[in-house]
Structures are given as C-alpha cells and as structure tokens.
Amino acid sequence: MSSLSEGMKRLIEPLSFIIIVLSISIAFAGEKIGGSQDKKFGYDYLNPNIPVDKRVEDLLSRMSLAEKIGQMCQYNAGMKNAGQLARDGSVGSFLNVTDPGEIERLQHAAVRDSRLGIPILFGLDVIHGYSTIFPIPIAWASTWNPEIVRESAEVSAKEACSQGVRWTFSPMVDIARDPRWGRIAEGAGEDVYLGMAMANALVEGYQGRKLGPESRLVACAKHYVAYGAAAGGRDYNSAEVSERTLREVYLPPFKAAVDAGAGTIMSAFEDLNGVPATANSFTIRDILKGEWPFKGFVVSDWDAVTELINHGVACDSAEAVMKAVIAGVDMDMVGPYHDHLEVLVREGKIPIEPVNDAVRRILRIKFEIGLFEHPYPDPAMAKSGLMLPEYRKVSREAAREAIVLLKNDRNILPLSRNIESIAVIGPLADSKPDMLGCWPCQGKPAPVVTLLAGIKSAASPQTKVMYAEGCGVRDTSRSGFAEAIVAAKESDVVVIAVGERAEMTGEAESRSSLDLPGVQEDLVKAIVATGKPVVEILMNGRPLSINWSAEHLPAILETWFLGTEAGNAIADVLFGNYNPSGKLPVTFPRSVGQVPIFYNHMNTGRPPSAERFTSRYTDIPWTPLFSFGYGLSYTKFGFSELNVIPDPGVKDRFLVTVDVTNEGKRDGIETVQLYIRQDCASVARPVKQLAGFRRVELAAGETKTVSFILTPYDLSFINAGMERVVESGPLEVMAGGSSVDLISKSTVIEKSMPVAEKVPIY
Ligand code: NOJ
C-alpha cells in the first residue's frame, strides 16, 4: 500500500469506510430479519413450520435482558413514546389502542423496525361485544344457554379482530355471592357449575376449540382469584376464603377456562387471606402453573403491582416488582416492571429463570395465534367488519333469551299487538347509553334500540304509544310524575322501565343498598295508583330488592342491560313473539341485610324454620325474594318420572332421566335443572348443588325425557385434606325448573375415590 500514491489513498480510504459501514449494516440487517439459517424464513423462530416450543427457545436465546423485560411490559394507549417503545422492543403489549391505523403503525414499528421484529399483542376489554353489544355477562348467564353465549363471543371476536385487537380481558369468571359488589354484572353469578359452563363457552367463542392461528382473540380469565369475595361487597376489598372454599367455589371456573384453552389469566386486585393476589405464589405458581398446569401467561390487573405498596407487602415499587415476578405475574399492566426489573436481575435479586419463564409464556401465545405471520389488521375487514346484520341478529337472540319473567299474574303478559294504547314510562325506557351496560367497549348509543323504540316497532300501527320519563334514575325530584300519571291514565297498559344507570354497575360501583335508586319506587307506586295494569321492566346490573313491586305489580321482567338490540328483544317477549325462557343465575335478596344469600348454602346444625333458635332472621323471612334458577314462562312445565340409574360399567357414574311436560297451551323452552345433595359426608355439603342443566324446547302438550350423566367430577367435592374426592354414601338427586320446587330421588354412591381436577367438557 505504501507504493500507492497519496491520491489513490485518498480515494480508497473513504471507499473502505463505506464498505465497512455497508457490511456492518448488512450484518445488522441480517440480525434484524433473523439471519439466514433457513433461506426462506431466516432464523428458526420465524419459521411457522416448526413446533412452537422450538420457535420460542430460538427467539429467547437471541433476546437481550432488556428485550425480555420489554415483552413483560404492557402499556396503555396514548403514550407519547409508543412508537419508540415498539422500535426498541420494549413493549410486549398495548391495551386500549382501538384505531386500526394506530395498531398498524405501532405494529409496523415493532415488526419492521425493532431488532428481533417481535409483534405486539393488542388487548382490550371486549367484555360483551365490541361494536355490536350483547347482554351484559350476568344476562348472558341468565340464558343458561352456553351455545348462544359462545356464538355471541365469536361475533365479538370477529369484530375485535377485524380492528387489529387480538386479546380480550374476558371472561370474568369470578363467582359472586354479594349483589352489593358492582362487578357481579360482569360475571355468571353465584353458581360454580353454571359459571364453569359460561367460562367454557366464552373461551371457546373467543378462541375457537383450540388456541391457534384461527383464534381471533386470546381469552383472559379474570380476576384470579376470589376477587368476588370482597368483604362487604366493597370493590378491591380483602377476601378471607378458606382453602376448601377456594378450591371448591372460586377456583373451578378458572380451571374450566384453562381446560377450554384460555391463553391468559389476569390476577386480581384483592388480598386473599392476607396475601395480595398479585404477589400470591400459592395461587399462581403452586396451583395455576403447578397443579393444573396452565401453559399460558398471567397478566396483572391495572397497576396492581404498584398497589402491593398500599397493601403493605412491599416498601417500594422495586420490591413490589420482585414479589410479583417471583409469584408468577408474567406481564405487568401499566405498572413498574420496566423501571426496576433489569436492575433487579442484574443485581441478582431476581433470578433469570422466572423472567425466562414469563417471556417463554408470552412468546408462546404470540406464536400460537400466528401473530408473527399475520401481525396487521386486514384493511378490508377494518372497514367493513362491524355491526353486520347477522351480528345484530345474534345479539337480539341472546338478548331475548336472557330475559327472566319474574311475575305474570293473571297472564297479563303477553300483550296483544293490537292493544289500543300503551304508556311507556320510566327513566330507562328510552335511554340508549344505558342499554349498553357497563364495559360497552366500542359500542355506540346511536344504533341501540330502546324499549320505547322496540315497542313502537312491534305494536300494530294503530296502537297509540305514549311516553313519559317520570323521573331520572337517581332523581329526588317528583316533578315528572304528573306527566307520567296522565300518560298512564290514558292508556290500556303501562310498561315502566326502572332500575340502575349502566354506570352504577361494574368496576368500583359497589352499593350499600339494593333498593331502586332515587324516587323510582315512588314513581311505580304513583303509576300503580292509577289502577292501570302495570308491567315492570327491570334494567340493572345486580339483583335488586324490589319487594314492593313483587307484591303489588302483576308482571315483572328482569332484563338486565341487553345491549344493542335491547328494545327489540324486550318487545319480542312483551308481545309474545318469544316465550321467555331466562332463569336467574343469582339469588335476589329481600333486603341487603340477608347478604350473602345464595342457594347452595350449608344446612347448618339448626336449619332455618319458624322455630326460635334456628338459623333465621327475626324481622324478615330467611328465604330470598327470587331464588337461583327461577324464571317463568308463558306456559307451564311439569316434572315427573325422575330415575337415577348407576352406570353398571363405571363406578360413581349415574344416568339420570326425567320427564318434562309442557302443560300449557303455548310452545315454550324450559331449562331442566339437576341438583344433588349428599349428607353423611366427611365435610358439610350444601343443601343442594347444581350438577347439570339442559334447555329443552317443548310444543304445547309435549313431553320429553331429558337425560343427564352425573360424572364422578359432578359428584366430587374437596375434603378436609384438600383433595377432590367422591365419597360413598346416600345421594339425593333433584330435578325441576328452578332451585326450589324440585322432585327428588335417592340413590347410593358405592365407592369413595379421588377425582382428577379435569373439568368435563360441557
Ligand atoms: C381493571 C379491571 O379490573 C380489569 O377487569 C380490566 O380488564 C382492566 N382494568 C383493564 O381495563
């Protein structure tokens, strides 16, 4: 080179600099797209044709600590530096980003511009619909129809996925025995068996039969665990639950969700027996990931990691991070993982294993749903994938199935379509936003059909439909009563819609009273005083103690919040186009003083009776206003011929058959409910416990024989040693159309044996 002229050197030096820069950037680009092990896909993790576990291991081996921690962090929408976080590989998930364009932009930054190109999982609370809104979950459960619930969830998944959302924070599978708790609206009510069936249906609706590339949404069963047992029904409050009750009541719906393939679980806010759910190794590491074992990932609830400081189990947010990671919380929802985790690992305060385990779980879900292959929303679907007529049809179907007929004296319902005049009264009769319920996601009020609109379109054109609001839901003023009374007096029948505002239900909406808010009950009384027949339409997110109405009104429909098609669905029932079939998934107390009140209580040593010194109240009856499983029809059903036959081939399995007859003059649907009771056990057992149900369509006068298989799991319970077992001894089997008025048959369980925690498929 020394022989080169100065001129040549001047030429070559910049050239070699350019060559070096070029080769570095080629190498770097190679790193970015994954090198060249496989000509077509680059590194193994980009190859969709190899097993997911191998892809996970390959990707994990290439990740820096910072990139691993990035996957464990979930950020909320609207962050100024969101694009940069994505480019840096510092974010595993965003929640609440709903604009498909924004999802595309952020995903682009992650997939094209970050070193390893790991796509982001976009999550959202798609709770009971995305744009087309379905009945709130407690109403879904009132259908007792897992199939319509599964179908509704599938529609929600189609809509959400069309906009680029691939993860929903649903289903809420918390058993709720306290109507003061506002979040009772978000779950399937008080029963374990029904709760498991709904958990299964929702997970399957969102994800399909198996989590895979066809899954539009990843489900998230929440809030793990016993969040519904908050003391006093006060949201976020502590829960004291024995391990036996935990395993028998609060855990099984989560197990059902896991067995249905739920990809994720959200840990709860509360402290459980003194240990916050977000730092609870026993429930997360030992039970969920150990005993079951759950293969997906656990996300915290909103900033719940930081809240460990308030709980008093962490002195600062670094300690909170340490406790949550060690307990097994894999992803941190808007919390402090990104601030501390790297230092904690570098300083050896957190071993790398839980971090690797968390990242593996998160990556596995992303690979399984094909996010690496299809990271972007489909632009055509993003434009046209919402509120299709067939989606609204499913919503209307689900809504009318969710309506529970609580009372119908003198068969005042159904109304004739040709009735001359109807007064539609009440603060909820024409309120579009309220029909969407809590967690309305992207549902907008404009397309909602209110009760007033539904009645107008279902009644004959000659029917005069009058409307008066009467009062607001929480009003103390009676100034609107006069107008409502005039409308009532001019009508042949009054339909009055009362209850709660949607925003009074759901998260952080605990109430100490279960009465109708404001002056609504006074409005009902004033309208009844006109002497006109009055049909009450309840719209609410929790059981309400409507004692006065139950005593004085001839007809009451529980409609909860029914979603986009609310008004049409209620009109379908009011005019008899649909014969009501809903059943209560939760007990209605007479008074808040009875809470907690649920049908599957223990017998106690002194079962309640009219006698003194028994388990009762001195001022009100101990029985509820309306029982679990209760719901009338425009026809009447009778039960007979209950048979319980032990399976000759399998121990502790029974075939149960029962005849159900439609004794009325209208076709109808009855939900046949099967209950069991076992006395003489090693631990006290409930007075009855749901062990099966089946919706049956019956033409007028028709009888059908309905059969059930009682499996060892159905008969099992948790013994004092915390094992799931079947115990030999006498068994009472009961069947009927609600949890009361049952016919029964006795049999004997012959063999005691342990039972696996594997939930049967519904
Ligand atoms: C808090 C709620 O408890 C939870 O149910 C919800 O999914 C998250 N916030 C995200 O919105």
Side-chain angles (χ1 to χ4, degrees), residues 90-379:
S90 301
V91 50
S93 169
F94 279 108
L95 82 158
N96 295 332
V97 184
T98 51
D99 169 24
E102 178 70 354
I103 290 181
E104 160 112 27
R105 195 180 66 76
L106 291 171
Q107 195 68 294
H108 201 279
V111 171
R112 296 270 194 87
D113 304 339
S114 77
R115 191 177 77 89
L116 294 165
I118 306 174
I120 294 165
L121 186 57
F122 290 89
L124 187 67
D125 288 285
V126 185
I127 306 296
H128 53 111
Y130 181 89
S131 268
T132 307
I133 299 302
F134 293 88
I136 57 170
I138 189 91
W140 258 341
S142 300
T143 66
W144 289 56
N145 183 359
E147 185 45 36
I148 193 72
V149 172
R150 193 200 56 70
E151 226 183 300
S152 311
E154 195 179 320
V155 170
S156 314
K158 282 183 187 163
E159 286 195 338
C161 181
S162 75
Q163 307 302 299
V165 172
R166 298 296 304 276
W167 183 20
T168 175
F169 308 120
S170 169
M172 186 188 102
V173 301
D174 296 310
I175 296 294
R177 292 168 158 184
D178 192 331
R180 292 172 296 182
W181 191 50
R183 304 201 80 169
I184 197 168
E186 297 178 50
E190 73 188 33
D191 183 62
V192 180
Y193 189 94
L194 184 61
M196 289 181 0
M198 290 299 149
N200 180 289
L202 284 165
V203 171
E204 212 179 284
Y206 293 134
Q207 298 190 164
R209 277 213 173 271
K210 191 172 176 297
L211 189 67
E214 305 304 317
S215 304
R216 296 183 174 96
L217 281 184
V218 180
C220 181
K222 68 187 188 186
H223 307 83
Y224 191 76
V225 55
Y227 181 42
R234 199 151 51 80
D235 208 1
Y236 317 118
N237 204 4
S238 310
E240 281 289 330
V241 177
S242 75
E243 186 179 338
R244 224 166 61 72
T245 304
L246 187 69
R247 289 183 180 276
E248 198 163 293
V249 175
Y250 293 98
L251 283 170
F254 285 95
K255 182 66 166 67
V258 167
D259 286 350
T264 67
I265 300 276
M266 186 186 296
S267 52
F269 280 126
E270 100 282 5
D271 75 275
L272 174 60
N273 303 331
V275 183
T278 316
N280 203 316
S281 296
F282 172 61
T283 53
I284 301 177
R285 283 239 185 261
D286 297 355
I287 297 180
L288 178 68
K289 294 181 175 177
E291 286 179 27
W292 290 0
F294 168 65
K295 296 283 183 228
F297 72 85
V298 175
V299 63
S300 78
D301 204 339
W302 184 279
D303 207 18
V305 176
T306 311
E307 289 177 15
L308 293 176
I309 302 170
N310 281 346
H311 277 292
V313 301
C315 294
D316 52 34
S317 60
E319 194 182 357
V321 169
M322 205 160 82
K323 291 213 164 175
V325 172
I326 298 292
V329 175
D330 304 307
M331 187 183 276
D332 178 21
M333 186 186 281
V334 305
Y337 275 14
H338 54 86
D339 289 335
H340 304 288
L341 199 43
E342 191 165 349
V343 175
L344 288 166
V345 174
R346 292 209 188 285
E347 286 177 353
K349 291 190 176 141
I350 294 182
I352 192 66
E353 284 75 23
V355 171
N356 283 342
D357 178 56
V359 178
R360 274 193 186 97
R361 288 168 179 272
I362 294 163
L363 294 178
R364 186 179 307 122
I365 296 296
K366 292 186 176 183
F367 281 122
E368 271 176 0
I369 64 165
L371 200 59
F372 283 75
E373 288 69 46
H374 299 287
Y376 302 110
D378 173 340

